Amino acid sequence: MVASTQDSVNEKGTALKRGWTTGACATAATSAALYGLFSETFKDPIQITLPGGQTPDFALAAEERGDDFAMCGIVKDAGDDPDVTHGAMVRATVRQLPKGSGVQFKAGKGVGMVTKPGLPIPPGEPAINPVPRKMMIEHCEKICAELGARADIEITISVDNGEALAQQTWNPRLGIVGGLSILGTTGIVVPFSCAAWIHSIHRGIDVARAEGLTHVVGSTGDASEKAAQKRLGLPLEAYLDMGDFAGGLLKYLKANPVPNLTICGGFAKITKLAEGHLDLHSGRSQVGFDWLAEQAQSLGADEALCSDIRAANTAKQVLELCTDAQIPIAEKIAILAAQVAQGKLRNNDIRVSVLVTDRKGVIIAES
């Protein structure tokens, strides 16, 4: 039975198709390759069991058998999620090892190696996360028992074009070199899920702490990150692509503190944070123009300006109005945002600062 793939909807109410993680694809490819190694035919489609009990089928996209190996490939279907690995070929090559070797993992072409501490996998190991490893080991033991073979197996996972795809992920700054990570805790990709992004933020903090860094930076986008890099000059591992997930960043730092945190972002997103929003996505929080008018009034704005702010269409328009009137609204927003973040951390040992940028990525205010 194929697992359900229609459990979520987009903002228009249209059903979204779920997909499969690289870990699920690697497990399916490994399972099919084992049948090719120890029996006369590859099993196609191949069925696996996910951690939640779902039993999806995967069609093989590639298969090859040699004197001492078998290889199968699965094309990853990420469903309707904008995943950089959607459509990538995940391959597993299996070989028999000497008795007592157990299951061993190798990184093939396009799969990275871990080089820094702080990740779930120690340095020197292929970037194949614990749950995918567990899934592959369990399926390997089950299939080998079924076919009367020893579960002493070398599993090499590779991803076509994985090294190039990895440049679009956090891997380079996490110290994962040479390719992608094989990920997944459920085997299922939930479309437009916040979980994967927040997971990356957490791993970034883990690596920064393991590296002994005392200052991390959460940026809302590429332009703000570049501005922070130019201003602060910290190591690459210090910069966290926070995106819209200020709450995910702050919650994890509260439990896993770093002495100094800088949040850097555009005026609109930092305004949302200053007003108390922790999810800065435009579909889940909005700039409060009445609230902005109140802040401008506290800085000396007259009623005419406050009326214009209330009637504004964008935060950019508010910033321009206040700049023309010499009302330091960006500075006030930076201070309030830092106070909100500090309050959410509830830890005075973490010093919070905020940088506000304009649309060109120029820093216009700081707390």
Side-chain angles (χ1 to χ4, degrees):
M1 179 181 70
V2 178
S4 170
T5 59
Q6 299 289 340
D7 291 348
S8 55
V9 296
N10 64 13
E11 58 191 15
K12 297 180 181 179
T14 304
L16 294 174
K17 180 186 174 186
R18 292 187 172 193
W20 313 114
T21 63
T22 47
C25 295
T27 300
T30 296
S31 299
L34 287 167
Y35 282 102
L37 184 64
F38 293 123
S39 69
E40 295 182 359
T41 59
F42 293 95
K43 184 170 278 193
D44 185 12
I46 182 70
Q47 185 178 95
I48 64 170
T49 301
L50 301 179
Q54 303 93 335
T55 54
D57 294 321
F58 293 80
L60 301 188
E63 56 186 62
E64 182 183 355
R65 191 185 344 233
D67 292 338
D68 67 341
F69 76 92
M71 182 280 295
C72 284
I74 303 284
V75 173
K76 178 180 173 179
D77 180 1
D80 289 325
D81 196 69
D83 190 316
V84 298
T85 58
H86 176 69
M89 176 83 81
V90 180
R91 300 176 187 264
T93 302
V94 296
R95 288 181 169 85
Q96 180 82 77
L97 292 175
K99 187 175 181 179
S101 299
V103 177
Q104 299 182 14
F105 294 96
K106 290 184 66 177
K109 188 174 182 181
V111 170
M113 293 291 291
V114 178
T115 66
K116 294 181 182 295
L119 295 171
I121 299 299
E125 283 286 319
I128 303 172
N129 268 22
V131 172
R133 287 178 183 240
K134 184 173 184 288
M135 289 170 61
M136 282 183 266
I137 291 170
E138 289 175 348
H139 282 75
C140 182
E141 291 174 345
K142 180 181 177 181
I143 292 168
C144 286
E146 174 191 335
L147 299 177
R150 285 186 290 104
D152 298 304
I153 303 295
E154 177 189 87
I155 302 173
T156 302
I157 304 299
S158 59
V159 180
D160 292 10
N161 201 37
E163 190 166 3
L165 291 173
Q167 299 306 309
Q168 303 175 52
T169 73
W170 282 53
N171 278 14
R173 71 180 64 194
L174 292 177
I176 298 172
V177 300
L180 293 161
S181 301
I182 304 300
L183 302 172
T185 55
T186 65
I188 300 172
V189 174
V190 179
F192 301 95
S193 168
C194 303
W197 199 314
I198 293 173
H199 175 84
S200 295
I201 293 171
H202 293 177
R203 298 294 77 77
I205 293 169
D206 290 343
V207 168
R209 283 165 52 87
E211 290 279 290
L213 300 184
T214 59
H215 193 166
V216 295
V217 181
S219 301
T220 59
D222 185 63
S224 58
E225 182 175 280
K226 284 183 169 62
Q229 288 175 335
K230 186 176 180 180
R231 170 64 63 87
L232 301 172
L234 299 171
L236 180 62
E237 293 83 4
Y239 296 93
L240 310 168
D241 187 3
M242 176 184 75
D244 295 317
F245 305 112
L249 173 75
L250 295 170
K251 183 177 179 180
Y252 199 73
L253 277 173
K254 180 181 176 182
N256 302 273
V258 174
N260 296 282
L261 166 66
T262 296
I263 294 175
C264 186
F267 178 73
K269 290 190 183 292
I270 299 300
T271 294
K272 293 181 186 181
L273 177 60
E275 197 174 356
H277 297 292
L278 298 180
D279 186 335
L280 310 181
H281 190 276
S282 59
R284 296 184 289 270
S285 62
Q286 300 297 322
V287 171
F289 294 104
D290 289 344
W291 182 84
L292 272 172
E294 292 175 8
Q295 305 314 312
Q297 187 177 46
S298 73
L299 296 169
D302 60 25
E303 184 51 40
L305 177 56
C306 290
S307 180
D308 288 342
I309 291 172
R310 293 187 192 97
N313 292 318
T314 65
K316 178 176 179 290
Q317 185 180 358
V318 173
L319 180 60
E320 291 170 348
L321 288 168
C322 289
T323 300
D324 290 343
Q326 297 185 330
I327 299 296
I329 192 70
E331 286 84 351
K332 179 71 177 288
I333 291 304
I335 293 168
L336 292 175
Q339 290 173 353
V340 168
Q342 193 80 62
K344 295 298 179 182
L345 288 168
R346 297 180 185 174
N347 187 339
N348 291 329
D349 292 332
I350 303 176
R351 180 180 179 274
V352 179
S353 60
V354 171
L355 301 174
V356 181
T357 65
D358 63 15
R359 291 201 171 189
K360 295 180 181 179
V362 176
I363 296 172
I364 57 174
E366 56 188 298
S367 63

